[in-house]
Amino acid sequence: QVQLVESGGGSVQAGGSLRLSCPASGVTYLGPCMGWFRQAPGKEREWVAAILTIGGITDYSDSVKGRFIISQDNAKNTIYLQMNSLKPEDTAMYYCALSINTYSGRCGRARMNYHYWGQGTQVTVSS
């Protein structure tokens, strides 16, 4: 049984940083794709970042590019999301997800592209 458990969320002031972690259990390896999504109250869940775990190719939404970094530790079956220069609009519940597919050799950006999900960790950024 695949389990993903996010941690590392919290409350920070604008301009601050947080690092989210997501260890995966019940899998022999991460992926082939791992992703981070977020959902703010009253909004749709949106894709944030993804990593093609074989090769480490990363992809980011325009809203976080240059501020967030997704990474992996294969020995720990864990992915991370380093979030820098946080803004109030980054406030959301953050979810990690695992996809058993790639799409034309890349990770998907849609919620439907991912098959396993964690329960989420809350990130709150105050101005």
Side-chain angles (χ1 to χ4, degrees):
Q1 180 177 345
V2 178
Q3 283 195 315
L4 306 173
V5 182
E6 303 92 338
S7 64
S11 297
V12 295
Q13 290 192 323
S17 298
L18 284 172
R19 188 193 195 206
L20 307 183
S21 299
C22 179
S25 60
V27 295
T28 54
Y29 80 106
L30 295 172
C33 284
M34 297 292 296
W36 286 97
F37 287 71
R38 65 186 181 187
Q39 188 167 15
K43 294 190 176 182
E44 295 286 322
R45 191 171 298 189
E46 66 169 343
W47 172 77
V48 173
I51 185 165
L52 190 62
T53 57
I54 298 176
I57 297 171
T58 58
D59 192 16
Y60 298 94
S61 68
D62 288 342
S63 62
V64 307
K65 194 175 295 182
R67 300 188 297 123
F68 290 12
I69 301 171
I70 185 171
S71 61
Q72 63 188 69
D73 184 333
N74 291 331
K76 296 181 180 180
N77 262 9
T78 299
I79 63 163
Y80 304 95
L81 187 67
Q82 177 67 43
M83 305 186 295
N84 302 319
S85 302
L86 283 161
K87 305 175 181 179
E89 50 264 43
D90 294 319
T91 295
M93 186 72 79
Y94 282 72
Y95 299 89
C96 72
L98 182 153
S99 174
I100 62 174
N101 293 329
T102 60
Y103 303 88
S104 299
R106 303 182 64 162
C107 293
R109 293 183 169 190
R111 185 174 179 175
M112 63 182 293
N113 295 146
Y114 291 80
H115 307 90
Y116 299 96
W117 294 83
Q119 294 300 306
T121 185
Q122 178 68 38
V123 172
T124 303
V125 185
S126 58
S127 57

